[in-house]
Amino acid sequence: MELEEGEIYEGAISLSGGEGPPHRWIVVAPFGKKHIHSIDDPAELHCWPLSVAQRGLEEGRLRYVGQEPGHPVLHLQRLKEAADIPDVHLGLHGEAVEKMLSLLEQAAEQGETHAPYAAAEIKAFIVRSSFPDQEMERLRERVDQLLSLWRSAAPSHVNN
């Protein structure tokens, strides 16, 4: 079965392919490489290979629930592609963090729904980085400031 970008699935799968906590997932394809992102809570980012989803489907632990081509995660992926930003949360490029901070700042100022997903990617990167403690703290504080700005700028229905 070919999974397509924007498809939403839900089920209890883990990175190992076995049983895990229940989540909703979206298929994304940044730079043409498909994988799945958790979408229940932006602060609890999981990004797994498509093979995990395919195994979950084959074993009946994951089920298709619909398609959402306008999901904020997909919007964020298109913005990252346009800015040539690889998946920051995978720790691929330290320089990409500054680009992501810029992206987050623009989203926060405009109250965009993809802002918390961008923040989660940056925070996931920070956890896996080898930055000095002071730099990691600076980045965390900046992300938190931008999330506060986003909360004040976003329409009230987005914050609920």
Side-chain angles (χ1 to χ4, degrees), residues 121-134:
E121 285 198 25
I122 297 167
K123 285 185 172 188
F125 170 78
I126 293 167
V127 169
R128 292 172 181 83
S129 77
S130 58
F131 285 137
D133 289 345
Q134 281 182 302

Side-chain angles (χ1 to χ4, degrees), residues 5 26-37 47 73-74 76-78 80-81 85-87 89-90 121:
E5 186 172 65
I26 190 166
V27 178
V28 295
F31 301 98
K33 184 178 179 187
K34 290 181 187 175
H35 55 277
I36 58 173
H37 269 261
C47 176
V73 166
L74 298 178
L76 176 60
Q77 292 301 325
R78 297 297 82 83
K80 288 169 48 183
E81 286 174 333
I85 302 171
D87 277 333
H89 59 283
L90 299 177
E121 285 198 25

Side-chain angles (χ1 to χ4, degrees), residues 26-160:
I26 190 166
V27 178
V28 295
F31 301 98
K33 184 178 179 187
K34 290 181 187 175
H35 55 277
I36 58 173
H37 269 261
S38 58
I39 56 173
D40 291 327
D41 179 358
E44 193 178 319
L45 174 66
H46 299 290
C47 176
W48 293 344
L50 207 55
S51 59
V52 172
Q54 290 167 327
R55 183 174 171 191
L57 284 165
E58 290 166 5
E59 295 175 356
R61 288 180 286 105
L62 197 61
R63 69 179 185 85
Y64 176 79
V65 295
Q67 182 128 4
E68 196 174 331
H71 194 281
V73 166
L74 298 178
H75 183 66
L76 176 60
Q77 292 301 325
R78 297 297 82 83
L79 292 171
K80 288 169 48 183
E81 286 174 333
D84 196 30
I85 302 171
D87 277 333
V88 174
H89 59 283
L90 299 177
L92 298 177
H93 300 285
E95 66 193 33
V97 172
E98 291 303 322
K99 289 181 179 179
M100 281 294 291
L101 282 169
S102 267
L103 224 159
L104 173 57
E105 183 172 15
Q106 291 171 358
E109 288 172 351
Q110 297 170 11
E112 296 285 345
T113 56
H114 65 273
Y117 294 96
E121 285 198 25
I122 297 167
K123 285 185 172 188
F125 170 78
I126 293 167
V127 169
R128 292 172 181 83
S129 77
S130 58
F131 285 137
D133 289 345
Q134 281 182 302
E135 179 63 4
M136 287 194 298
E137 187 57 31
R138 180 192 75 81
L139 291 170
R140 271 197 236 36
E141 286 176 2
R142 183 68 181 137
V143 169
D144 289 341
Q145 289 170 348
L146 291 171
L147 279 175
S148 291
L149 173 63
W150 173 77
R151 285 183 192 96
S152 67
S156 60
H157 69 279
V158 173
N159 289 313
N160 293 333

